[in-house]
Amino acid sequence: MSLAAARPLISVYSDKNVCSGTTVCLPAVFKAPVRPDIVSMIHNEVAKNRRQPYAVKVTAGHDTSAASWGTGRAMARIPRVKGGGTSRSGQGAFGNMCRGGRMFAPTKTWRKWHRKVPTAQKRYAVCSAIAATGVPSLVMAKGHVINGIAEVPLVVEDKVESFTKTKEAVVFLRRNKAWADVAKVYQTRRIRAGKGKLRNRRHVQKLGPLVIYAQDSGITKAFRNIPGVDTIQVGKLNLLKLAPGGHVGRFCIWTEAAFKQLDGLYGSGKKPSTAKQGWNLPRVKMANTDLASLLKSEAIRSVLRAPNRKVKHAVVRNNPLKNIRSMLQLNPYAAVQKKNAELTAAKNIRLKAAAKTAKK
């Protein structure tokens, strides 16, 4: 359960980082179980739906006239380039081990690129991702710089939705102490490692805050030119934006109207969602996660049986044919038999030696 659930009321701040005096109830979705395993799995599947098919040319590596020379020449049966008068003739062709040949298992456009993900699982993952945005430790573990902000989750007045200038958005972020997270984005901008730098994806950078609004009155234009800052409408919350990379805990800035819509969108536990048919919040596995206190409570200790202090050591059972002590426990006369056998063996050795000397 989210640690923010301990605070049922959230303060609303103005665009100048002054507490407006109004409070809003914490939506029940922030009490949803935080399941990083589900978020990571669903993110991995959903992210595949943006891929575009790619493949090598169908005839790549087969544009050469070549045929095998067959057997009987003590040479490999790989197809060889026809003709003569050039070093190319007689060289191997077509095979993936040949120079100028095709690749092994050429890629095809009909590969299974996209994935169908159950709607209930996607909603579960989104609820978990929203709940994680209300836990300061998870937000900081994600790498966001939120040391100076007033509260998590950060809720601001609806006036922010009417911003149309980037200058207004920058002043708002600076006053609310959220600019430190944007400054981190500037510092992390670097050239991509890999072929993508040649394919119009030259630079990479980390992500900053996510601004969630209810109605776009210019807010998207105001924030769209600030690196790392994303905006999204509350009714279109997306796992790719809430948990980029499949990691929970993105720093979110909510407008008051958007914050109030969460109970209607995702349900409150007691009431199902009004926007998503047949959907309610996922139940938590444990209502109280303090396991140490639960085990020490009188309600549990009163029904437990008394601890068994008697220690019962396992009996080591040895093979009596190999272990003389085990044999003596089973047959005390075995010691006499063993001694007689040794004496008889010694007597036979002496008789044999005496007979040998008598022959000489």
Side-chain angles (χ1 to χ4, degrees):
M1 182 183 292
S2 169
L3 295 178
R7 274 186 297 108
L9 294 177
I10 303 296
S11 301
V12 180
Y13 292 85
S14 68
D15 58 327
K16 297 179 181 178
N17 199 25
V18 177
C19 186
S20 64
T22 60
T23 57
V24 290
C25 289
L26 184 76
V29 70
F30 282 91
K31 302 176 184 177
V34 179
R35 293 288 301 275
D37 53 338
I38 293 178
V39 172
S40 178
M41 180 187 71
I42 300 302
H43 182 282
N44 185 43
E45 296 294 297
V46 171
K48 293 176 182 177
N49 293 330
R50 294 182 61 189
R51 295 190 294 179
Q52 292 182 344
Y54 66 85
V56 295
K57 185 182 176 183
V58 176
T59 60
H62 283 265
D63 294 330
T64 313
S65 177
S68 174
W69 287 358
T71 58
R73 295 174 182 244
M75 297 179 73
R77 287 177 282 184
I78 192 76
R80 297 179 185 277
V81 179
K82 294 182 178 181
T86 173
S87 60
R88 179 61 173 146
S89 59
Q91 290 182 355
F94 298 169
N96 65 304
M97 75 293 291
C98 299
R99 177 178 176 270
R102 55 161 172 75
M103 67 179 287
F104 167 74
T107 51
K108 302 295 182 183
T109 55
W110 56 79
R111 182 191 297 188
K112 185 182 177 184
W113 298 99
H114 306 103
R115 301 290 187 269
K116 289 182 179 179
V117 185
T119 303
Q121 291 185 16
K122 286 190 287 188
R123 290 175 180 172
Y124 194 122
V126 169
C127 290
S128 282
I130 293 173
T133 62
V135 186
S137 56
L138 290 179
V139 177
M140 295 178 74
K142 183 83 166 63
H144 292 287
V145 183
I146 58 169
N147 302 329
I149 67 169
E151 208 169 314
V152 175
L154 180 60
V155 183
V156 296
E157 291 179 339
D158 294 338
K159 179 184 176 183
V160 178
E161 295 180 353
S162 61
F163 287 170
T164 55
K165 297 287 187 180
T166 305
K167 184 186 294 185
E168 295 175 313
V170 171
V171 171
F172 161 73
L173 291 173
R174 288 187 184 277
R175 285 177 174 172
N176 282 271
K177 311 300 182 184
W179 185 256
D181 200 41
V182 181
K184 176 210 64 177
V185 175
Y186 280 101
Q187 295 169 1
T188 58
R189 184 175 170 82
R190 59 202 182 277
I191 294 177
R192 179 187 297 271
K195 288 281 188 181
K197 69 166 74 72
L198 308 175
R199 298 172 181 165
N200 295 327
R201 304 189 294 269
R202 190 164 187 80
H203 293 94
V204 290
Q205 63 188 18
K206 289 189 178 295
L207 290 174
L210 175 65
V211 181
I212 303 170
Y213 60 89
Q215 187 173 1
D216 183 11
S217 301
I219 186 171
T220 54
K221 287 186 178 181
F223 283 92
R224 69 183 178 183
N225 206 31
I226 304 175
V229 179
D230 294 322
T231 56
I232 191 170
Q233 205 269 341
V234 67
K236 299 178 181 179
L237 285 176
N238 187 348
L239 189 65
L240 300 176
K241 292 285 184 72
L242 286 169
H247 307 296
V248 296
R250 186 166 188 186
F251 173 33
C252 293
I253 301 173
W254 305 79
T255 64
E256 185 179 356
F259 203 67
K260 289 179 178 178
Q261 288 185 25
L262 288 175
D263 274 339
L265 286 170
Y266 296 99
S268 60
K270 296 180 180 178
K271 290 184 179 181
S273 167
T274 56
K276 306 177 191 300
Q277 186 176 6
W279 173 256
N280 207 337
L281 285 178
R283 292 186 178 183
V284 293
K285 299 291 183 183
M286 296 178 66
N288 182 8
T289 55
D290 191 356
L291 189 61
S293 299
L294 286 175
L295 295 178
K296 293 177 181 177
S297 65
E298 285 299 323
I300 290 179
R301 297 183 68 176
S302 61
V303 296
L304 293 177
R305 61 172 175 79
N308 185 12
R309 304 291 184 186
K310 187 177 180 181
V311 179
K312 185 177 181 181
H313 296 286
V315 179
V316 179
R317 300 186 183 279
N318 295 314
N319 187 355
L321 299 176
K322 296 180 180 179
N323 191 292
I324 187 62
R325 290 182 179 177
S326 300
M327 176 61 81
L328 291 176
Q329 289 177 350
L330 299 172
N331 180 18
Y333 190 67
V336 178
Q337 291 177 328
K338 185 176 181 181
K339 187 66 176 176
N340 290 340
E342 291 175 356
L343 293 174
T344 305
K347 181 181 178 182
N348 292 338
I349 291 171
R350 289 196 304 272
L351 293 175
K352 191 173 183 180
K356 199 171 185 180
T357 54
K359 285 183 180 180
K360 291 181 179 179

